[in-house]
Amino acid sequence: MIVVVTPNPAVDVTYRVDEQRIGTTQRVRSVDRLPGGKGLNVARVLAGEGVETHSVLPLGGASGSWVADAVAALGLAATAVPVPGETRTTVTVVDDHAHPTMFGEPGPSVPPAAWLPVDEAVRALLPTAEALVVSGSLPVGTAADVVTPWITDAVAAGVLVVADCSGPALLAAADAGATLCKPNREELAEATGCADERDGALALLDRGAGTVVVSRGADGIAAHTRSEVVEVGAVPGVTGNPTGAGDAATAGLVLALTRDATDVTTALRTAAAFGAAAVLRPVAGEVDRAAVHRFLTDTEPTRSTA
């Protein structure tokens, strides 16, 4: 069972339009509403592969109740932890010509005491967990170290921890000893202040991360340890909606690391295949499963000694 914490869940709304234009009234061709946030996207992809997951979701207000009901309707196991305020909404505008535009609300203001039941929910699930995934932003004003007890408890229990966080939360995850930290290039540079990817990865390793996996978008994905860098290129020729591709890549990593992967190379190739297969789907949290298996043969790793 994979425990997935989504610190800042959302009602994910996807608008499909003929063409994105600023300053004009546009008709929406279709609307999708799904329970979202990066962690829930990861959980949905894993569930699509037959993996048992359990999501921990701090939810507030009417929108939080909607997310809880929608998660249950999808057949996903979850613990909903009530918090003050209103769970946020994200709106993604998609057309067939341009990169999607996403509007993400900051989320509710959650006081420190309201996170204690989240800590307890995570701790209660760890005895039966293979892995803990902490994925997504924190609500506005939340201290970065809110992630610390989730990760330290999991590490103490011998559970694999994958942290897909940004900003100070990424540093806190490394400080807590996350098995694997997974920022993208921009998040890594912002959190560490290092323009060079290798320098940024070493900064997280120095803080306590076991491995740093960096998503590079169209340039693929790389895993950094102290001794080497393993790189896998992006699957070529894939176009579509990249929203959620990073979350699918995280799901691919977790899937490989909790199944038969014997080294990071297999995990990276699986992550690249899942990320590319997500681009072929219209909304985040889904992958083209047939494409995953095809894409696994389209990526070749390279290694360099650091």
Side-chain angles (χ1 to χ4, degrees):
M1 187 260 288
I2 311 298
V3 178
V4 185
V5 183
T6 306
N8 202 9
V11 179
D12 270 357
V13 181
T14 301
Y15 289 156
R16 185 165 292 277
V17 299
D18 290 324
E19 182 182 359
Q20 299 182 58
R21 298 189 302 275
I22 302 298
T24 66
T25 299
Q26 299 179 65
R27 294 190 180 278
V28 176
R29 293 205 318 253
S30 63
V31 182
D32 289 295
R33 284 185 175 84
L34 290 165
K38 290 175 69 66
L40 268 175
N41 293 340
V42 172
R44 288 176 57 215
V45 173
L46 288 171
E49 295 298 309
V51 177
E52 180 186 1
T53 67
H54 194 113
S55 293
V56 178
L57 305 168
L59 297 170
S63 56
S65 296
W66 184 93
V67 169
D69 291 343
V71 168
L74 290 172
L76 298 176
T79 298
V81 179
V83 296
E86 193 79 20
T87 293
R88 67 189 179 126
T89 295
T90 63
V91 177
T92 303
V93 183
V94 180
D95 65 25
D96 295 329
H97 313 288
H99 193 282
T101 299
M102 198 274 278
F103 299 89
E105 295 179 4
S109 178
V110 181
W115 290 102
L116 297 179
V118 177
D119 300 347
E120 294 168 3
V122 173
R123 193 173 298 120
L125 292 165
L126 290 176
T128 56
E130 289 182 271
L132 169 72
V133 179
V134 180
S135 186
S137 64
L138 301 180
V140 62
T142 299
D145 63 0
V146 72
V147 307
T148 300
W150 312 333
I151 295 171
T152 55
D153 285 350
V155 170
V159 173
L160 171 79
V161 179
V162 176
D164 185 0
C165 306
S166 59
L170 177 62
L171 303 181
D175 290 340
T179 316
L180 190 152
C181 286
K182 186 195 165 288
N184 62 36
R185 275 176 166 170
E186 293 74 21
E187 291 166 343
L188 179 65
E190 179 186 5
T192 64
C194 299
D196 179 77
E197 179 183 307
R198 178 63 179 168
D199 290 342
L202 287 171
L204 294 185
L205 293 169
D206 288 343
R207 297 182 80 111
T211 301
V212 178
V213 172
V214 183
S215 294
R216 297 173 170 177
D219 294 324
I221 190 168
H224 295 256
T225 65
R226 293 186 182 279
S227 60
E228 67 174 358
V229 181
V230 181
E231 302 172 288
V232 168
V235 177
V238 180
T239 59
N241 177 14
T243 307
D247 304 330
T250 298
L253 277 174
V254 174
L255 186 68
L257 292 171
T258 55
R259 286 191 173 176
D260 300 325
T262 57
D263 59 35
V264 72
T265 301
T266 302
L268 289 183
R269 294 181 67 223
T270 306
F274 270 77
V279 174
L280 300 177
R281 299 296 299 156
V283 294
E286 299 177 359
V287 297
D288 184 322
R289 295 185 67 197
V292 168
H293 301 290
R294 186 169 73 251
F295 292 160
L296 280 170
T297 66
D298 292 342
T299 53
E300 290 296 332
T302 61
R303 291 178 180 266
S304 60
T305 301

